[in-house]
Amino acid sequence: MDFMEKINELSKKVEKIKWNLKTEEATKTSIILPFFQILGYDVFDPCEFVPEYTADAGIKKGEKVDYAIMFNNEPLILVEAKSANTELSGKHISQLMRYFSVTKAKFAILTNGIVYQFFSDLEEHNKMDTIPFLKFDLCHSKKETVEELKRFQKDAFDVKLILSSASDLKYMTMVKSMVAEQFQNPSDQLVKLLINKNIYAGTKTQAVLDKFRTIIQKAFEEYINDIITERLSTVISPDTTQIPVVKERGDMVLTQEEVEVLDFVKSRVDTRLNIKYKKTSRYAYMQLGELSTKWICRVYIRKEQHLFVLHKFEDTDYECEYYFDEVEQLEAIKGLIKDTFEKCCKL
């Protein structure tokens, strides 16, 4: 049985028994110790896995952390355990911080047997961070978090390797949390940013912000639903007759529609220069030479109206966002295209 299978087995067990785990000791015996056994630690070896490890903090004597995982007779990982029906909070983090500061441990884990929060001292040496760099939920485990958890297996444990990725993991978690918060309740700052002059040129009063907050929330939801629907429809019923012809330019692959638009732009400018087509997951674009700052235009091919965007330079008095259905419609802005290209050449 591989690591993932063992985690899944424990997860199924937790789902069955978690409502019966009323005490901390029951949680330790039924879930926490089996969890660390899966990671490869001998929980019955007092030289490796020490229960009730003494971590006296200042004038507080007799302070004990539930477990300490040892390396070369020094604590490497501290584990503070709570009962399964306890919601982990800042109070418990503060308690673990006290233990961490008086030991040589590099990692600390706060857990109620179901959720495991992993901490280190990424911000300040020997001072435990208040935000975990990794959260693992046995009842809602994801493949990517299981992969990170694997790093804590006894046989694969590498302090430098874990710390090298811990910072990115921590900030990724914080960003995801902030994104989730903004999706649920967009802040005034985000609403102002999104509606700027291209959407609403009037005074951004609180009433206006509140109105657009509701609109933005709905737009977020519909955008995510559109992405999910599109991906599901591609997986479930791919229609090869609808897949557009693609044409390769350099190391990028663009759809035929994107190529047609960029070819149109190219035909209106000086083709003797080094013009390149590029593509991201959202749009195709044209740039001059190798510098990404010298992009000329972006093309968004969408189900309804397509969007064509010209680069706005500091000395340009216009910002062009042009909606079109057919590439020929861009003929109306060929003067702007040429002007933008000339300004790009002067950069």
Side-chain angles (χ1 to χ4, degrees):
M1 189 180 294
D2 66 15
F3 185 76
M4 187 71 180
E5 289 172 332
K6 291 178 181 178
I7 289 293
N8 287 337
E9 282 289 314
L10 183 58
S11 177
K12 291 175 184 176
K13 176 183 176 183
V14 169
E15 290 287 359
K16 291 179 181 178
I17 68 172
K18 62 183 180 181
W19 307 114
N20 295 318
L21 299 173
K22 306 296 185 183
T23 66
E24 187 177 301
E25 287 306 313
T27 303
K28 289 178 182 178
T29 304
S30 302
I31 311 175
I32 296 175
L33 292 182
F35 176 81
F36 284 100
Q37 284 179 313
I38 291 174
L39 290 174
Y41 298 100
D42 186 349
V43 298
F44 302 110
D45 181 354
C47 295
E48 177 177 301
F49 202 88
V50 182
E52 296 296 308
Y53 183 82
T54 300
D56 291 338
I59 61 173
K60 289 194 172 185
K61 301 299 180 182
E63 292 270 82
K64 296 182 185 294
V65 63
D66 288 294
Y67 301 106
I69 298 175
M70 312 296 286
F71 181 78
N72 290 337
N73 295 319
E74 293 287 353
L76 178 61
I77 305 174
L78 302 181
V79 182
E80 181 63 17
K82 303 300 175 184
S83 65
N85 58 11
T86 299
E87 185 174 342
L88 302 179
S89 66
K91 177 182 69 175
H92 305 129
I93 293 174
S94 297
Q95 181 183 4
L96 189 52
M97 287 178 72
R98 293 203 310 271
Y99 302 150
F100 188 92
S101 64
V102 295
T103 70
K104 295 182 179 180
K106 288 301 297 177
F107 301 99
I109 301 173
L110 175 63
T111 181
N112 59 6
I114 300 171
V115 176
Y116 294 78
Q117 299 181 357
F118 292 75
F119 299 84
S120 189
D121 54 352
L122 301 174
E123 301 293 336
E124 186 177 340
H125 179 66
N126 204 38
K127 182 178 179 181
M128 192 185 92
D129 300 331
T130 57
I131 297 174
F133 65 84
L134 176 64
K135 287 185 180 181
F136 180 76
D137 188 334
L138 261 176
C139 293
H140 301 92
S141 60
K142 299 178 181 178
K143 184 178 179 180
E144 57 268 27
T145 51
V146 172
E147 289 300 316
E148 293 298 331
L149 183 64
K150 281 183 178 180
R151 297 176 187 268
F152 281 86
Q153 292 179 100
K154 178 182 175 181
D155 293 340
F157 199 92
D158 185 321
V159 174
K160 291 183 179 179
L161 189 61
I162 295 174
L163 289 176
S164 67
S165 64
S167 181
D168 286 348
L169 279 172
K170 173 184 173 181
Y171 294 120
M172 179 69 76
T173 300
M174 293 170 69
V175 169
K176 287 169 67 177
S177 176
M178 184 170 290
V179 168
E181 182 180 333
Q182 292 295 334
F183 263 63
Q184 294 170 11
N185 185 29
S187 65
D188 286 353
Q189 291 84 352
L190 180 62
V191 174
K192 289 178 183 178
L193 176 66
L194 292 177
I195 68 176
N196 61 45
K197 63 180 181 181
N198 293 325
I199 296 177
Y200 185 83
T203 303
K204 278 67 170 184
T205 64
Q206 192 61 50
V208 169
L209 296 180
D210 291 341
K211 172 187 174 181
F212 275 101
R213 194 186 331 275
T214 303
I215 294 172
I216 288 170
Q217 278 181 292
K218 188 174 181 181
F220 281 158
E221 292 171 3
E222 290 188 3
Y223 177 69
I224 295 299
N225 288 336
D226 287 347
I227 291 176
I228 294 171
T229 302
E230 185 175 341
R231 290 185 178 178
L232 284 176
S233 64
T234 302
V235 173
I236 296 171
S237 57
D239 184 355
T240 54
T241 63
Q242 297 298 315
I243 298 176
V245 178
V246 296
K247 189 173 181 180
E248 192 166 337
R249 296 294 174 108
D251 59 349
M252 305 301 295
V253 176
L254 297 90
T255 67
Q256 187 63 43
E257 287 177 302
E258 290 167 339
V259 170
E260 286 177 3
V261 176
L262 295 179
D263 279 348
F264 173 88
V265 174
K266 188 175 180 181
S267 69
R268 268 62 180 173
V269 298
D270 189 347
T271 56
R272 295 172 297 175
L273 297 174
N274 183 18
I275 295 173
K276 293 194 173 184
Y277 296 177
K278 299 282 186 178
K279 183 167 181 174
T280 72
S281 60
R282 295 177 55 232
Y283 56 82
Y285 65 101
M286 175 187 288
Q287 74 179 39
L288 192 59
E290 300 297 333
L291 293 176
S292 59
T293 55
K294 301 184 75 169
W295 65 273
I296 300 161
C297 63
R298 292 174 177 166
V299 180
Y300 299 76
I301 300 298
R302 306 187 294 197
K303 290 181 179 180
E304 297 176 359
Q305 279 191 313
H306 307 319
L307 175 63
F308 181 83
V309 180
L310 278 173
H311 194 152
K312 174 177 168 59
F313 295 99
E314 291 182 3
D315 60 343
T316 305
D317 59 1
Y318 60 83
E319 185 176 60
C320 180
E321 291 187 355
Y322 194 82
Y323 294 91
F324 67 100
D325 296 308
E326 303 293 337
V327 67
E328 289 77 14
Q329 292 174 299
L330 296 177
E331 188 71 33
I333 58 168
K334 63 181 181 181
L336 297 180
I337 292 173
K338 186 176 181 180
D339 187 35
T340 299
F341 181 79
E342 290 173 353
K343 291 184 184 301
C344 190
C345 292
K346 294 176 183 178
L347 280 180

